Amino acid sequence: MSTQRGHGATLAEKILARSSGLDEVEPGQIIEGKVDLAMMHEQGAQTVGPFHEMGATEVWDPERVVIAIDHWVPASTEGAAVLHRILRKFAAEQNLPHFYDVGNHGICHQILAENGWVVPGDLAVGTDSHTNMLGAMGAVAAGIGPTEMAAVLALGRLWLKVPPTIRINVKGTLGPGVVAKDLVLRVLGEVKTTGATYKSVEYGGPAVAGLSMPERFTICNMTTEMGAKCGMVAPDQTTYEYLAKIAKHPMHPLQPDGDAAYERTVDIDLTDMEPMVACPYSPDNVRPLPDVVREHIKVDQAFLGSCTNARIEDLREGAALMRGHKVHAGVRFIVSPASTAIYQQALQEGLLELFTDAGAVFTNSSCSACFGGNMGIIAPDEVCASSSNRNFPGRMGPKEGRIYLMSPAAVAASAIKGEIADPREVAA
Amino acid sequence: MQDVIEGRVWVLGADVDTDGIIGGKYLTIIDPNELKKHVFEIALPEFAKGALPGDIIVAGENFGCGSSREHAPQALRAIGVGAVVADSFARIFFRNSINLGLPTVEASGVRAIFEKGDTARIAMRAGTITNVRTGASVRFPPLPHHLLELLEVGGLVPKVRQELEARARGASA
Ligand code: SF4
């Protein structure tokens, strides 16, 4: 097909055309998109006020609204308890059946992923900035503010400016001990934290075709750190197999045109790529891990968790290194699975025992230490090796705290060695 | 929103993040009139006491970066800011501001032509910002029709209210 520009359409353009009922759209155009899935976490409590001020009386489609609390679970402060209660009351009044409350909880993005709430071709929105992760389903998934979420709940649609697309073509294969997290850190090092502001990031190429769904979640998750409105991978057999038993709605898979008009194309070759690490105080301050290892940076805390990297595959990756080792004296190693289902899986596989025997603390599933507001807060000048996605000043509490972002295996290696370490140098 | 917005200018640098606009410790405050007392506590401490209704913020690149908190534009609106102008904005701040009915204008090069206390005149539809004192001006691509309309009615809350009322009238007619 051709568009007005005489070029093909990107995946984001195809999906936004579908959701707005238009034949084609172009970057910069403002459209009214029909929302397929709306997700709220604690910040969703702020949508209740504007929802009523709008004079809305009922949610447009209770079957397409998911509430998942995750930042403070169970509530650790009175303020958090009040937010939770506002959401519970709203869900009860509006008969919203899909509330993932304490006991059935998890990080909101993981809840959407593992329960098949977002499917190929969808337009999904959430009150959290890392909603981008769900673009791995071949969808446009974006973070929005609470007032616009109120409008979405009232009308089932929202205005969007069609973003231009940056295409990231990846080829080559990941070497031993090098994983999808290293790939996305490498991309961040090139695109930088404002390089994709207002834009869509579309990953493709032979290496991306070979990535599993959990790996695709990781690379789409951190498009938020590039400033992107959304990040995605076109759906393929891997996507369909992942969703086969769990998809909540019918899929409408779309593909980018072969001659799509990309604003910019970035080529990445994984051949001989080292593990990567993002140093304080920005996710784009990326260096090859071996260079940082040589500086012998002592670690006070290690964190294996967050929506970026706390799926069962990530826990197994960390556990493979821990086997036969102990957490280094003086290091607090926090392991927090991304959902209750993952917690149970880890329990069955003996990973709880393995981590706790080694001297780690295995917590309830939540955002945990990722955002410095609940637990796992560090002291000023302390260092944390983390599998999460942000290392800005103050992210884990004090503005002086130093966070190094890396793969789950590198976090486990650092917990064992007591300093930033290369997983390839820890004998499994 | 008027088509021409005029006001006294406060200037800020680049990369002012949402923490600099409203600190994380105030996020449990729900009343915007409480919130406004703490606006720019870190980035521009004299602002909260000295601001007058209709004042205009002129900032550098990437204004409003960081978290998705809507408290930041809420606090600016509550204190009576007439418009926020910057060389560029972070995505969610821009959306949140427009949705709250706070005129938000991205005009590359604008920071360089203003000093604190100048008067700015913004022609929203024509797409120009002028420094009334010096006569210097920069052009910007006017907001799309849809967003100008949103600002005119006062943001997303009144807009959706109108739409729901019209729908209810249609249903009962
Ligand atoms: S794990 Fe961290 S980044 Fe992910 S939703 Fe929670 S706080 Fe945000």
Side-chain angles (χ1 to χ4, degrees):
Chain A
M1 84 166 235
S2 71
T3 72
Q4 283 160 348
R5 286 167 294 148
H7 300 288
T10 70
L11 183 54
E13 288 158 16
K14 290 266 188 91
I15 295 169
L16 293 177
R18 176 194 163 264
S19 79
S20 55
L22 300 169
D23 289 340
E24 55 193 32
V25 298
E26 58 180 274
Q29 186 177 345
I30 303 253
I31 56 137
E32 285 271 337
K34 202 169 105 357
V35 170
D36 297 294
L37 197 279
M39 180 277 290
M40 295 193 282
H41 62 354
E42 279 97 341
Q43 205 188 176
Q46 282 178 277
T47 66
V48 176
F51 180 80
H52 292 303
E53 278 173 54
M54 284 167 181
T57 49
E58 51 188 46
V59 166
W60 104 100
D61 185 352
E63 277 304 319
R64 289 182 181 270
V65 177
V66 172
I67 304 175
I69 53 175
D70 56 8
H71 278 52
W72 300 272
V73 179
S76 54
T77 67
E78 188 180 331
V82 170
L83 296 182
H84 292 169
R85 195 181 54 184
I86 291 171
L87 286 167
R88 283 184 198 115
K89 196 163 154 263
F90 184 69
E93 280 165 11
Q94 291 288 329
N95 293 315
L96 303 177
H98 308 299
F99 192 130
Y100 293 83
D101 207 339
V102 182
N104 181 31
H105 59 281
I107 304 175
C108 57
H109 313 301
Q110 179 60 25
I111 292 291
L112 294 190
E114 72 188 25
N115 293 291
W117 280 111
V118 178
V119 300
D122 272 2
L123 169 60
V125 292
T127 54
D128 188 89
S129 60
H130 286 97
T131 305
N132 294 30
M133 183 180 110
L134 279 304
M137 301 294 194
V140 167
I144 61 173
T147 299
E148 53 190 347
M149 181 56 84
V152 169
L153 294 182
L155 303 172
R157 52 191 158 75
L158 87 163
W159 69 268
L160 287 165
K161 192 158 139 187
V162 178
T165 298
I166 297 183
R167 168 83 176 190
I168 316 244
N169 279 322
V170 193
K171 64 171 186 186
T173 41
L174 293 164
V178 190
V179 294
K181 179 64 161 284
D182 300 306
L183 159 58
V184 71
L185 289 175
R186 163 94 183 271
V187 175
L188 255 157
E190 301 216 6
V191 175
K192 299 292 178 186
T193 51
T194 54
T197 305
Y198 300 118
K199 293 171 190 163
S200 168
V201 169
E202 183 183 301
Y203 289 101
V208 174
L211 296 179
S212 67
M213 287 312 289
E215 291 171 317
R216 294 178 190 188
F217 293 140
T218 300
I219 64 170
C220 288
N221 181 285
M222 288 193 79
T223 59
T224 302
E225 277 56 56
M226 302 169 203
K229 179 184 213 125
C230 50
M232 61 196 71
V233 176
D236 59 14
Q237 209 46 43
T238 306
T239 326
Y240 307 138
E241 275 165 24
Y242 181 90
L243 284 167
K245 289 206 181 72
I246 58 171
K248 288 283 195 292
H249 301 119
M251 310 186 202
H252 3 260
L254 294 164
Q255 296 292 329
D257 288 330
D259 64 341
Y262 297 111
E263 187 191 76
R264 178 183 166 197
T265 301
V266 178
D267 290 304
I268 302 273
D269 187 350
L270 300 177
T271 310
D272 298 330
M273 188 180 86
E274 300 273 18
M276 295 286 163
V277 55
C279 300
Y281 287 101
S282 180
D284 64 7
N285 186 14
V286 175
R287 297 169 61 195
L289 179 60
D291 293 1
V292 179
V293 167
R294 274 194 286 278
E295 292 169 11
H296 299 289
I297 297 161
K298 193 183 155 301
V299 164
D300 302 287
Q301 177 167 298
F303 174 50
L304 205 180
S306 91
C307 52
T308 319
N309 278 119
R311 281 168 276 281
I312 192 67
E313 295 78 6
D314 302 313
L315 301 189
R316 287 179 194 141
E317 187 184 309
L321 269 93
M322 286 317 294
R323 205 160 269 127
H325 290 281
K326 289 275 181 221
V327 174
H328 197 275
V331 177
R332 292 113 45 194
F333 185 18
I334 302 167
V335 184
S336 305
S339 71
T340 302
I342 297 167
Y343 185 105
Q344 289 166 335
Q345 179 74 25
L347 181 64
Q348 271 178 26
E349 294 183 15
L351 303 188
L352 257 82
E353 202 179 349
L354 190 146
F355 278 115
T356 50
D357 277 352
V361 50
F362 196 100
T363 80
N364 150 48
S365 70
S366 78
C367 297
S368 187
C370 176
F371 74 106
N374 186 26
M375 60 168 148
I377 291 164
I378 54 179
D381 301 321
E382 281 193 334
V383 169
C384 182
S386 176
S387 70
S388 59
N389 49 35
R390 283 185 175 146
N391 60 352
F392 297 124
R395 180 64 180 177
M396 264 182 202
K399 64 178 189 300
E400 303 86 353
R402 299 174 68 78
I403 305 164
Y404 291 78
L405 305 175
M406 58 190 79
S407 70
V411 168
S414 304
I416 293 165
K417 292 244 179 159
E419 56 181 52
I420 306 280
D422 190 328
R424 297 171 301 185
E425 287 170 11
V426 176
Chain B
M1 182 200 69
Q2 295 154 328
D3 188 32
V4 176
I5 302 169
E6 201 171 295
R8 185 180 64 156
V9 164
W10 295 78
V11 292
L12 285 149
D15 297 313
V16 174
D17 68 4
T18 47
D19 269 313
I21 305 172
I22 190 84
K25 61 184 166 200
Y26 302 121
L27 296 187
T28 50
I29 300 177
I30 293 170
D31 179 3
N33 287 316
E34 261 316 296
L35 215 50
K36 74 179 185 191
K37 294 179 189 160
H38 307 288
V39 67
F40 287 137
E41 211 162 76
I42 295 173
L44 192 60
E46 69 274 23
F47 180 79
K49 281 216 163 60
L52 295 172
D55 281 358
I56 290 175
I57 306 293
V58 177
E61 300 280 352
N62 205 22
F63 186 79
C65 57
S67 85
S68 60
R69 71 186 63 149
E70 202 175 72
H71 305 73
Q74 255 176 22
L76 293 173
R77 191 181 60 161
I79 207 164
V81 164
V84 186
V85 185
D87 288 335
S88 68
F89 288 97
R91 188 186 78 80
I92 297 184
F93 180 88
F94 183 82
R95 288 187 69 87
N96 283 343
S97 299
I98 301 268
N99 285 331
L100 289 173
L102 179 65
T104 306
V105 175
E106 186 163 286
S108 178
V110 73
R111 174 63 190 85
I113 66 163
F114 282 100
E115 282 173 29
K116 182 175 182 235
D118 287 348
T119 299
R121 182 183 298 145
I122 311 169
M124 294 295 287
R125 283 197 170 72
T128 57
I129 302 177
T130 309
N131 183 331
V132 174
R133 180 177 64 86
T134 64
S137 76
V138 291
R139 302 191 58 81
F140 62 88
L143 286 176
H145 178 71
H146 180 89
L147 300 192
L148 286 169
E149 237 180 47
L150 199 53
L151 288 175
E152 250 146 39
V153 298
L156 208 47
V157 168
K159 173 106 192 312
V160 175
R161 198 194 302 129
Q162 282 177 5
E163 199 173 325
L164 291 173
E165 281 167 7
R167 199 190 275 178
R169 275 197 302 276
S172 64

Tab-separated table of all heavy atoms in Angstrom, chain B residues 2 4-10 47 50-58 76-85 102-103 118-122:
chain	number	residue	atom	x	y	z
B	2	GLN	N	-7.316	33.173	25.626
B	2	GLN	CA	-7.381	34.227	24.614
B	2	GLN	C	-6.427	33.888	23.480
B	2	GLN	O	-5.457	33.164	23.678
B	2	GLN	CB	-6.967	35.561	25.231
B	2	GLN	CG	-7.929	36.027	26.301
B	2	GLN	CD	-7.213	36.922	27.292
B	2	GLN	OE1	-6.019	36.741	27.561
B	2	GLN	NE2	-7.944	37.864	27.841
B	4	VAL	N	-4.452	36.082	22.056
B	4	VAL	CA	-3.177	36.733	22.385
B	4	VAL	C	-3.012	36.744	23.898
B	4	VAL	O	-3.872	37.234	24.621
B	4	VAL	CB	-3.117	38.162	21.807
B	4	VAL	CG1	-1.827	38.852	22.254
B	4	VAL	CG2	-3.206	38.125	20.283
B	5	ILE	N	-1.931	36.155	24.358
B	5	ILE	CA	-1.668	36.060	25.790
B	5	ILE	C	-0.475	36.959	26.096
B	5	ILE	O	0.563	36.862	25.435
B	5	ILE	CB	-1.333	34.607	26.199
B	5	ILE	CG1	-2.484	33.671	25.810
B	5	ILE	CG2	-1.039	34.510	27.691
B	5	ILE	CD1	-2.138	32.200	25.928
B	6	GLU	N	-0.651	37.843	27.082
B	6	GLU	CA	0.457	38.732	27.413
B	6	GLU	C	0.728	38.628	28.905
B	6	GLU	O	-0.197	38.517	29.702
B	6	GLU	CB	0.083	40.168	27.019
B	6	GLU	CG	1.290	41.056	26.846
B	6	GLU	CD	0.926	42.418	26.242
B	6	GLU	OE1	0.480	42.458	25.074
B	6	GLU	OE2	1.103	43.423	26.946
B	7	GLY	N	1.990	38.631	29.290
B	7	GLY	CA	2.277	38.552	30.721
B	7	GLY	C	3.742	38.795	31.025
B	7	GLY	O	4.595	38.833	30.134
B	8	ARG	N	3.971	38.951	32.327
B	8	ARG	CA	5.341	39.177	32.815
B	8	ARG	C	6.100	37.854	32.837
B	8	ARG	O	5.531	36.815	33.165
B	8	ARG	CB	5.236	39.742	34.225
B	8	ARG	CG	6.548	40.148	34.842
B	8	ARG	CD	6.316	40.695	36.227
B	8	ARG	NE	5.763	39.650	37.115
B	8	ARG	CZ	5.889	39.671	38.443
B	8	ARG	NH1	6.525	40.657	39.027
B	8	ARG	NH2	5.354	38.710	39.181
B	9	VAL	N	7.367	37.900	32.505
B	9	VAL	CA	8.146	36.684	32.281
B	9	VAL	C	9.026	36.288	33.473
B	9	VAL	O	9.663	37.142	34.096
B	9	VAL	CB	9.027	36.881	31.017
B	9	VAL	CG1	10.135	35.837	30.938
B	9	VAL	CG2	8.161	36.840	29.760
B	10	TRP	N	9.024	34.989	33.758
B	10	TRP	CA	10.024	34.378	34.641
B	10	TRP	C	10.844	33.426	33.779
B	10	TRP	O	10.269	32.706	32.959
B	10	TRP	CB	9.358	33.563	35.746
B	10	TRP	CG	8.545	34.364	36.712
B	10	TRP	CD1	7.292	34.855	36.497
B	10	TRP	CD2	8.918	34.755	38.039
B	10	TRP	NE1	6.856	35.522	37.613
B	10	TRP	CE2	7.835	35.469	38.581
B	10	TRP	CE3	10.064	34.557	38.820
B	10	TRP	CZ2	7.853	36.001	39.871
B	10	TRP	CZ3	10.072	35.077	40.108
B	10	TRP	CH2	8.995	35.802	40.619
B	47	PHE	N	9.746	32.176	43.243
B	47	PHE	CA	8.561	32.245	42.378
B	47	PHE	C	7.238	32.197	43.158
B	47	PHE	O	6.355	33.042	42.955
B	47	PHE	CB	8.598	31.114	41.344
B	47	PHE	CG	7.418	31.115	40.416
B	47	PHE	CD1	7.364	31.988	39.343
B	47	PHE	CD2	6.353	30.240	40.625
B	47	PHE	CE1	6.272	31.996	38.484
B	47	PHE	CE2	5.256	30.250	39.770
B	47	PHE	CZ	5.210	31.131	38.703
B	50	GLY	N	6.401	35.476	44.717
B	50	GLY	CA	6.387	36.651	43.842
B	50	GLY	C	5.460	36.556	42.638
B	50	GLY	O	5.245	37.547	41.950
B	51	ALA	N	4.897	35.376	42.372
B	51	ALA	CA	4.118	35.188	41.140
B	51	ALA	C	2.811	35.984	41.174
B	51	ALA	O	2.166	36.093	42.214
B	51	ALA	CB	3.810	33.712	40.938
B	52	LEU	N	2.443	36.546	40.028
B	52	LEU	CA	1.147	37.209	39.880
B	52	LEU	C	0.347	36.447	38.823
B	52	LEU	O	0.930	35.860	37.903
B	52	LEU	CB	1.340	38.656	39.403
B	52	LEU	CG	2.056	39.596	40.374
B	52	LEU	CD1	2.344	40.934	39.699
B	52	LEU	CD2	1.200	39.808	41.626
B	53	PRO	N	-0.977	36.468	38.940
B	53	PRO	CA	-1.786	35.777	37.927
B	53	PRO	C	-1.454	36.302	36.533
B	53	PRO	O	-1.292	37.506	36.354
B	53	PRO	CB	-3.227	36.142	38.311
B	53	PRO	CG	-3.165	36.493	39.760
B	53	PRO	CD	-1.803	37.078	39.996
B	54	GLY	N	-1.323	35.398	35.593
B	54	GLY	CA	-1.027	35.786	34.213
B	54	GLY	C	0.457	35.767	33.878
B	54	GLY	O	0.833	35.941	32.724
B	55	ASP	N	1.325	35.555	34.855
B	55	ASP	CA	2.766	35.481	34.579
B	55	ASP	C	3.068	34.337	33.612
B	55	ASP	O	2.353	33.329	33.576
B	55	ASP	CB	3.553	35.262	35.881
B	55	ASP	CG	3.715	36.564	36.672
B	55	ASP	OD1	3.258	37.608	36.189
B	55	ASP	OD2	4.293	36.502	37.780
B	56	ILE	N	4.139	34.514	32.865
B	56	ILE	CA	4.498	33.521	31.845
B	56	ILE	C	5.858	32.911	32.175
B	56	ILE	O	6.801	33.618	32.536
B	56	ILE	CB	4.518	34.189	30.449
B	56	ILE	CG1	3.071	34.542	30.047
B	56	ILE	CG2	5.171	33.290	29.400
B	56	ILE	CD1	2.950	35.308	28.753
B	57	ILE	N	5.926	31.584	32.083
B	57	ILE	CA	7.187	30.873	32.309
B	57	ILE	C	7.887	30.686	30.965
B	57	ILE	O	7.273	30.192	30.014
B	57	ILE	CB	6.921	29.458	32.902
B	57	ILE	CG1	6.054	29.527	34.163
B	57	ILE	CG2	8.226	28.707	33.150
B	57	ILE	CD1	6.706	30.178	35.333
B	58	VAL	N	9.158	31.071	30.893
B	58	VAL	CA	9.942	30.832	29.673
B	58	VAL	C	11.137	29.959	30.048
B	58	VAL	O	11.962	30.349	30.872
B	58	VAL	CB	10.428	32.153	29.034
B	58	VAL	CG1	11.295	31.860	27.820
B	58	VAL	CG2	9.241	33.033	28.635
B	76	LEU	N	1.183	24.806	38.642
B	76	LEU	CA	1.392	26.004	37.828
B	76	LEU	C	0.058	26.663	37.495
B	76	LEU	O	-0.095	27.885	37.562
B	76	LEU	CB	2.134	25.649	36.529
B	76	LEU	CG	3.574	25.172	36.701
B	76	LEU	CD1	4.149	24.694	35.378
B	76	LEU	CD2	4.445	26.301	37.261
B	77	ARG	N	-0.913	25.857	37.187
B	77	ARG	CA	-2.231	26.392	36.863
B	77	ARG	C	-2.862	27.054	38.088
B	77	ARG	O	-3.439	28.131	38.020
B	77	ARG	CB	-3.143	25.281	36.333
B	77	ARG	CG	-4.427	25.835	35.725
B	77	ARG	CD	-5.329	24.745	35.228
B	77	ARG	NE	-5.730	23.832	36.311
B	77	ARG	CZ	-6.763	23.021	36.247
B	77	ARG	NH1	-7.485	22.972	35.154
B	77	ARG	NH2	-7.064	22.220	37.251
B	78	ALA	N	-2.719	26.375	39.251
B	78	ALA	CA	-3.345	26.884	40.471
B	78	ALA	C	-2.780	28.246	40.867
B	78	ALA	O	-3.499	29.100	41.373
B	78	ALA	CB	-3.169	25.886	41.613
B	79	ILE	N	-1.495	28.470	40.614
B	79	ILE	CA	-0.908	29.756	41.013
B	79	ILE	C	-1.225	30.845	39.987
B	79	ILE	O	-0.951	32.019	40.205
B	79	ILE	CB	0.614	29.594	41.276
B	79	ILE	CG1	1.096	30.652	42.276
B	79	ILE	CG2	1.415	29.620	39.985
B	79	ILE	CD1	2.443	30.347	42.887
B	80	GLY	N	-1.826	30.457	38.878
B	80	GLY	CA	-2.324	31.436	37.917
B	80	GLY	C	-1.433	31.695	36.720
B	80	GLY	O	-1.596	32.701	36.020
B	81	VAL	N	-0.471	30.812	36.468
B	81	VAL	CA	0.415	30.980	35.314
B	81	VAL	C	-0.417	31.082	34.020
B	81	VAL	O	-1.352	30.308	33.820
B	81	VAL	CB	1.412	29.794	35.245
B	81	VAL	CG1	2.069	29.702	33.878
B	81	VAL	CG2	2.475	29.942	36.330
B	82	GLY	N	-0.095	32.085	33.192
B	82	GLY	CA	-0.877	32.312	31.977
B	82	GLY	C	-0.482	31.426	30.821
B	82	GLY	O	-1.305	31.082	29.976
B	83	ALA	N	0.793	31.059	30.776
B	83	ALA	CA	1.287	30.176	29.710
B	83	ALA	C	2.675	29.676	30.093
B	83	ALA	O	3.383	30.321	30.868
B	83	ALA	CB	1.365	30.926	28.376
B	84	VAL	N	3.021	28.509	29.561
B	84	VAL	CA	4.372	27.995	29.720
B	84	VAL	C	4.971	27.875	28.320
B	84	VAL	O	4.377	27.265	27.434
B	84	VAL	CB	4.395	26.608	30.406
B	84	VAL	CG1	5.830	26.187	30.680
B	84	VAL	CG2	3.599	26.630	31.694
B	85	VAL	N	6.114	28.490	28.146
B	85	VAL	CA	6.779	28.499	26.846
B	85	VAL	C	8.167	27.912	27.041
B	85	VAL	O	8.828	28.219	28.032
B	85	VAL	CB	6.921	29.956	26.335
B	85	VAL	CG1	7.482	29.974	24.937
B	85	VAL	CG2	5.586	30.682	26.391
B	102	LEU	N	-3.836	24.488	30.375
B	102	LEU	CA	-2.738	25.435	30.566
B	102	LEU	C	-2.026	25.643	29.225
B	102	LEU	O	-1.422	24.711	28.698
B	102	LEU	CB	-1.764	24.857	31.597
B	102	LEU	CG	-0.516	25.667	31.940
B	102	LEU	CD1	-0.887	26.984	32.626
B	102	LEU	CD2	0.409	24.860	32.847
B	103	PRO	N	-2.110	26.861	28.631
B	103	PRO	CA	-1.467	27.072	27.329
B	103	PRO	C	0.021	26.740	27.377
B	103	PRO	O	0.755	27.249	28.231
B	103	PRO	CB	-1.701	28.561	27.050
B	103	PRO	CG	-2.936	28.882	27.824
B	103	PRO	CD	-2.858	28.042	29.069
B	118	ASP	N	10.787	40.759	31.687
B	118	ASP	CA	10.305	41.221	30.382
B	118	ASP	C	8.814	40.907	30.243
B	118	ASP	O	8.258	40.117	31.003
B	118	ASP	CB	11.043	40.487	29.239
B	118	ASP	CG	12.485	40.967	29.086
B	118	ASP	OD1	12.828	42.003	29.699
B	118	ASP	OD2	13.247	40.304	28.369
B	119	THR	N	8.195	41.502	29.242
B	119	THR	CA	6.802	41.157	28.947
B	119	THR	C	6.769	40.358	27.642
B	119	THR	O	7.387	40.764	26.649
B	119	THR	CB	5.944	42.431	28.797
B	119	THR	OG1	5.998	43.136	30.040
B	119	THR	CG2	4.499	42.098	28.477
B	120	ALA	N	6.067	39.243	27.679
B	120	ALA	CA	5.941	38.409	26.476
B	120	ALA	C	4.542	38.550	25.909
B	120	ALA	O	3.569	38.637	26.665
B	120	ALA	CB	6.218	36.955	26.810
B	121	ARG	N	4.469	38.587	24.592
B	121	ARG	CA	3.157	38.565	23.940
B	121	ARG	C	3.118	37.352	23.011
B	121	ARG	O	3.949	37.220	22.106
B	121	ARG	CB	2.930	39.852	23.143
B	121	ARG	CG	1.527	39.884	22.481
B	121	ARG	CD	1.342	41.122	21.638
B	121	ARG	NE	1.420	42.329	22.433
B	121	ARG	CZ	1.949	43.488	22.006
B	121	ARG	NH1	2.439	43.576	20.792
B	121	ARG	NH2	1.976	44.541	22.796
B	122	ILE	N	2.165	36.456	23.260
B	122	ILE	CA	2.078	35.214	22.476
B	122	ILE	C	0.822	35.262	21.617
B	122	ILE	O	-0.287	35.392	22.143
B	122	ILE	CB	1.979	33.972	23.403
B	122	ILE	CG1	3.059	34.017	24.493
B	122	ILE	CG2	2.080	32.680	22.591
B	122	ILE	CD1	2.859	32.977	25.586
